[in-house]
Amino acid sequence: MKPAEQGPIGVFDSGYGGLTILREIRRSLPGYSYLYLGDNARAPYGTRSFDIVYDFTLSAVKRLFEEGCSLVILACNTASAKALRTIQQRDLPRLAPDRRVLGVIRPTVEALGSVSRTGHIAVLATPGTVASQSYTLEVGKLYPEMKISEHACPMWVPLIENDEAYGPGADYFVKKYIDRALDNDPETDTIVLGCTHYPLLLPKILKVVPEGIRILSQGSLVAASLSDYLGRHKEIDSRCARGASVRYLTTEQASRFDHLASLFAGEEVHSERIAL
Ligand code: DGL
């Protein structure tokens, strides 16, 4: 890989979910240029094995590097849980020692210390993220006194990827998974949406979550953490292009991506289809 030059900040997700992160990042850091990549053709990742998620994620990261990104955010919990550590520790030193890849789990866990009163947290995530126990492990390191339970919501991502997030069919599965989490630990006072797709179901989630329980979405947490990171790593920051622009890549048919992405991003999206 040739030495890093100035390029956009790469934001990667298996599909549409990373748009919820990108929206908040752009809100807090509007002056930078961004390149979004959604691997929609191969989503969902959440039910795939460790090795497959790692392979898919690495191929996406390499592509974003080729597009000029010096910094890539894995705006996907499943990829952060299953691929980030190996990419950071094994692949980057060999492939691109001057580039960086960051995830979304650590910034989310760091924020927990200041939000929960009871210390009882429910994390809702994909089956893959739950199986990796990444949240339990990270919380254990930072806040060993907290009681955390992780719950898989396997139907939520397919509903979103298939344009059913706002349809009546989604209500059943939203209530089912929220009820299960709260029945499991009635002292829960904070629900973490530990999948970047889930904020797209927020209107329905809010309808069934009892008052007094806090719902934590990751977008603003990741944005604040990125801003802090760029402030502390001037060598990376200087290689992140400014231009207040965003370009979208997808592995699905572009017109299909554009339709839902425009809804989720709250503005018109025009993407280009790529193969990974
Ligand atoms: N949005 C992703 C996450 O945060 C994964 C969704 C999927 O592809 O299953 O986990």
Side-chain angles (χ1 to χ4, degrees):
M1 180 115 359
K2 54 181 187 166
E5 292 160 11
Q6 235 195 17
I9 295 174
V11 178
F12 167 70
D13 181 48
S14 61
Y16 297 105
L19 294 168
T20 64
I21 302 287
L22 177 62
R23 191 172 51 209
E24 294 301 327
I25 292 179
R26 286 176 69 203
R27 195 170 286 165
S28 67
L29 297 164
Y32 291 83
S33 302
Y34 297 95
L35 180 59
Y36 185 84
L37 169 54
D39 191 7
N40 301 73
R42 300 191 292 195
Y45 279 17
T47 42
R48 294 188 186 275
S49 67
F50 186 99
D51 288 354
I52 297 293
V53 172
Y54 164 71
D55 286 349
F56 285 0
T57 304
L58 183 61
S59 67
V61 166
K62 281 184 182 164
R63 177 59 188 253
L64 287 167
F65 285 168
E66 279 159 20
E67 296 281 342
C69 302
S70 281
L71 177 62
V72 172
I73 314 297
L74 300 184
C76 174
N77 290 268
T78 312
S80 299
K82 294 188 163 191
L84 180 63
R85 186 181 295 257
T86 313
I87 290 176
Q88 284 177 332
Q89 294 181 355
R90 193 180 71 191
D91 299 309
L92 277 186
R94 172 173 60 86
L95 274 177
D98 52 354
R99 301 181 202 238
R100 296 291 175 271
V101 180
L102 304 174
V104 290
I105 293 179
R106 182 78 187 198
T108 309
V109 169
E110 281 171 358
L112 286 177
S114 55
V115 296
S116 176
R117 277 171 291 105
T118 63
H120 288 241
I121 316 275
V123 177
L124 305 185
T126 65
T129 300
V130 171
S132 76
Q133 291 199 304
S134 298
Y135 275 93
T136 302
L137 296 171
E138 286 295 327
V139 168
K141 281 186 225 159
L142 288 185
Y143 310 110
E145 69 289 357
M146 279 186 184
K147 185 172 176 313
I148 179 157
S149 55
E150 296 191 59
H151 304 275
C153 307
M155 290 303 290
W156 284 6
V157 171
L159 283 166
I160 293 160
E161 289 286 319
N162 289 293
D163 202 3
E164 292 290 346
Y166 305 132
D171 291 301
Y172 172 81
F173 285 106
V174 166
K175 183 163 167 35
K176 175 174 175 163
Y177 297 149
I178 295 283
D179 285 352
R180 193 186 49 190
L182 296 179
D183 288 348
N184 174 266
D185 181 358
E187 282 186 68
T188 299
D189 76 346
T190 306
I191 293 177
V192 176
L193 301 183
C195 170
T196 56
H197 279 64
Y198 295 174
L200 299 166
L201 290 169
L202 199 57
K204 291 190 188 292
I205 293 172
L206 287 171
K207 274 203 276 176
V208 297
V209 170
E211 234 176 274
I213 294 186
R214 180 135 187 215
I215 314 284
L216 212 60
S217 297
Q218 299 175 291
S220 56
L221 308 177
V222 174
S225 166
L226 175 61
S227 169
D228 176 62
Y229 179 89
L230 290 173
R232 287 184 292 107
H233 295 84
K234 291 294 173 200
E235 74 293 356
I236 301 292
D237 183 55
S238 64
R239 280 191 266 118
C240 295
R242 270 70 168 174
S245 63
V246 55
R247 212 179 123 214
Y248 296 92
L249 306 176
T250 175
T251 53
E252 244 301 349
Q253 199 185 336
S255 57
R256 188 174 161 159
F257 178 82
D258 294 353
H259 165 68
L260 271 185
S262 302
L263 275 179
F264 296 150
E267 64 181 29
E268 234 178 271
V269 166
H270 297 285
S271 64
E272 299 152 52
R273 181 181 170 196
I274 57 153
L276 285 176

